[in-house]
Amino acid sequence: MDQSQIDALRAKPVPAFAHLIDGQHVASSDGATMDIISPIDGSVLTTTARGTAGDMHAAIASARAAFEDRRWAGQPPAARKKVLMKWADLIEAHALELAVLGVRDNGTEISMALKAEPGSAAATIRYYAEALDKIYGEIAATPAEILGMIHKEPVGVVGAIIPWNFPLMIGAWKLAPALAMGNAVVVKPSETASLSLMRMCALALEAGLPPGVLNAVTGEGAVVGEAMGLSMDVDALVFTGSGGTGRRLMDYAARSNMKRVYLELGGKSPNIVFADAPDLAEAAKVTAGGIFRNAGQVCVAGSRLLVERSIHDDFVAAVAKAAEAMHVGDPLRVETQIGAVNSETQLKANLGFVDTAIAEGGTVVTGGARILQETGGYYMAPTIVTDVAPDATLTQKEVFGPVLGVTAFDTIEEAVALANGTVYGLAGAAWTANLSKAHRMVREVRTGVMHINTYGGADGTVPLGGVGQSGNGSDKSLHAIDKYINLKTAWIKL
């Protein structure tokens, strides 16, 4: 990365953003806008349209018309592939622009954002573009006088609600398979980080996606998100975010057309370190990165550290040393390893979790405070709290910030019980040189992704799904396609 290029992009004024409906950039029907506050310095970066329910209904109507006339679903697979591939090319061509715009909006450090946002999004779109002409129907095993065929058809109109932490990466996890299968999509970005995703959607039109096939409406979840959830014309709803919002979306589906609802609702992921870990120094370094990169604003973050008691003190000290060595600061500087917290509201919530942890008997080893307040931005020191009880708030509730809770254990059975002792089940890890122990942890820890002797880095070839209150369905891999197709049986008497 070239710091001078980043600085030049940072200096550019950001124009006001509007909705994308039926291939056109349009203002909200009532003309209302929202200020976009940069977490880097607390300044107003630009404005976006503050959507109304009517705006969302217009976007859904556009998507429905595009789906029904088959302007996209009716194209040959090779034609759809060509458009998606061009979209990925455009994302890569604009990668630094997209990454810097996103960082100005949500505070992720640029070193992570460039790879995890446009880089990941382009790779995801290419993956599903390559897959779309390899999804075959089936011939059933039937009597000789019957031909049984199973067709795989697009669901119809897909509503996608995307979070603020990785809007391009997570957005592509939803948009790419949905569009590859011939669906029309309406996107609702987060009101606190929508700019880069809106720009990426505009690039899809530039790549040749027909108008109306991909629409995007900005605004508040309680208004445009609710309108999407209650719509009788949305056939499937995909969402990454909080459990409370996920419950509301399920309620909206029940109150409307019983649309499919696929949810990824975060977690409280256990990172289990045994005394026989192959490299405790490496484990400490990776543990720090697994919770503190992007200021802990990662759904699979290893936010619970479970450490075998015999190595507890030394290992916690090593993690603290690694955390304190990580540079927190301006996320648009290439040397920064931990950027800004997304919003002042989120920062206050993070600090509140630390106060609660102390009140409940926890001990702050490092961090625990707001820093760099003179910048006007929202920064927090990476925080480690030990003596965290299994029933403590810091064990049971997702912080979504740079706060690591530590609990000691003595036996494998205790480690498994602690790991499974929350309502979540998104990710986890175990560090051990014992092959049998590793396989046992994979089998017994209830989670969608289980790492062994690493944390993070699973690519698009494998699914990301949760158990328990971490959600349902899977993003990534060929398995994600199942969310965006209907199976239709043809039973033919010969």
Side-chain angles (χ1 to χ4, degrees):
M1 290 182 294
D2 186 304
Q3 185 66 59
S4 63
Q5 290 180 303
I6 294 169
D7 292 342
L9 288 166
R10 180 214 292 262
K12 286 186 174 182
V14 180
F17 274 67
H19 306 311
L20 182 62
I21 300 176
D22 204 29
Q24 302 295 318
H25 297 283
V26 297
S28 289
S29 54
D30 62 0
T33 62
M34 301 184 298
D35 286 343
I36 299 301
I37 307 298
S38 175
I40 296 175
D41 58 9
S43 65
V44 176
L45 185 58
T46 186
T47 63
T48 62
R50 185 189 296 270
T52 65
D55 297 329
M56 179 56 72
H57 294 154
I60 293 169
S62 173
R64 174 57 62 189
F67 181 71
E68 295 296 341
D69 69 19
R70 298 184 60 79
R71 70 187 71 166
W72 177 244
Q75 291 191 26
R80 298 205 307 273
K81 175 184 287 191
K82 184 177 180 180
V83 171
L84 293 179
M85 286 294 193
K86 186 174 180 182
W87 188 22
D89 290 344
L90 287 171
I91 291 168
E92 283 195 340
H94 293 270
L96 191 59
E97 169 204 331
L98 287 164
V100 171
L101 180 62
V103 171
R104 295 174 77 182
D105 201 6
N106 75 351
T108 299
E109 56 273 14
I110 188 65
S111 59
M112 171 176 274
L114 188 60
K115 179 180 178 181
E117 284 286 83
S120 172
T124 296
I125 291 165
R126 286 201 181 97
Y127 179 90
Y128 290 105
E130 285 289 358
L132 68 85
D133 58 359
K134 301 169 184 68
I135 305 299
Y136 300 116
E138 302 170 30
I139 303 296
T142 59
E145 69 276 12
I146 295 293
L147 175 61
M149 297 188 295
I150 304 169
H151 295 269
K152 296 181 179 180
E153 300 183 336
V155 169
V157 175
V158 175
I161 302 177
I162 310 301
W164 48 258
N165 57 332
F166 292 107
L168 300 189
M169 179 176 72
I170 297 175
W173 290 351
K174 320 290 190 188
L175 302 184
L179 292 170
M181 292 300 101
N183 297 282
V185 182
V186 180
V187 178
K188 190 274 176 194
S190 168
E191 49 264 52
T192 63
S194 60
L195 305 183
S196 60
L197 181 57
M198 295 297 289
R199 176 71 176 124
M200 189 173 81
C201 290
L203 289 175
L205 291 178
E206 189 176 327
L209 196 71
V213 175
L214 177 58
N215 305 272
V217 177
T218 53
E220 296 163 329
V223 178
V224 293
E226 179 179 283
M228 176 186 283
L230 289 171
S231 172
M232 300 295 287
D233 254 336
V234 173
D235 301 297
L237 192 60
V238 291
F239 168 74
T240 295
S242 72
T245 300
R247 290 174 186 274
R248 284 195 292 276
L249 295 176
M250 295 180 77
D251 176 60
Y252 296 156
R255 289 162 53 192
S256 55
N257 60 344
M258 298 185 70
K259 59 180 67 65
R260 302 181 193 177
V261 181
Y262 298 105
L263 308 170
E264 194 268 90
L265 304 176
K268 197 70 188 177
S269 299
N271 185 17
I272 308 162
V273 182
F274 291 96
D276 65 356
D279 187 337
L280 285 169
E282 175 69 9
K285 180 180 177 182
V286 174
T287 292
I291 176 60
F292 297 129
R293 293 301 302 274
N294 197 28
Q297 299 165 142
V298 181
C299 57
V300 297
S303 56
R304 287 190 295 144
L305 176 58
L306 310 179
V307 189
E308 193 163 354
R309 195 175 303 277
S310 63
I311 61 167
H312 176 277
D313 292 353
D314 288 344
F315 189 78
V316 170
V319 176
K321 183 178 179 181
E324 290 163 359
M326 297 177 77
H327 179 72
V328 185
D330 182 347
L332 286 173
R333 297 293 304 175
V334 296
E335 66 270 17
T336 296
Q337 295 169 288
I338 302 174
V341 174
N342 175 254
S343 67
E344 187 171 21
T345 299
Q346 186 68 37
L347 176 60
K348 289 179 179 178
N350 294 348
L351 295 171
F353 272 103
V354 176
D355 292 341
T356 299
I358 294 170
E360 293 179 350
T363 302
V364 175
V365 173
T366 188
R370 181 177 185 175
I371 59 174
L372 304 174
Q373 191 164 357
E374 68 278 5
T375 66
Y378 314 128
Y379 300 91
M380 182 174 176
T383 302
I384 300 174
V385 183
T386 59
D387 306 312
V388 179
D391 61 349
T393 301
L394 194 56
T395 296
Q396 297 298 325
K397 301 293 185 182
E398 185 177 36
V399 178
F400 219 66
V403 182
L404 177 64
V406 186
T407 306
F409 67 86
D410 294 295
T411 66
I412 296 176
E413 291 75 16
E414 185 182 4
V416 171
L418 288 169
N420 292 334
T422 75
V423 298
Y424 298 106
L426 187 62
W431 298 79
T432 176
N434 184 297
L435 183 62
S436 295
K437 188 186 295 182
H439 281 291
R440 179 175 174 183
M441 301 308 288
V442 170
R443 184 184 67 223
E444 295 186 14
V445 176
R446 293 192 296 270
T447 187
V449 178
M450 191 64 182
H451 307 85
I452 299 296
N453 296 330
T454 188
Y455 204 100
D459 64 20
T461 62
V462 292
L464 171 62
V467 298
Q469 292 185 32
S470 284
N472 56 13
S474 293
D475 284 324
K476 306 198 301 180
S477 83
L478 294 178
H479 295 282
I481 288 172
D482 293 341
K483 297 188 293 190
Y484 304 105
I485 58 173
N486 285 328
L487 299 178
K488 176 184 284 185
T489 293
W491 191 259
I492 303 169
K493 188 175 186 305
L494 301 176

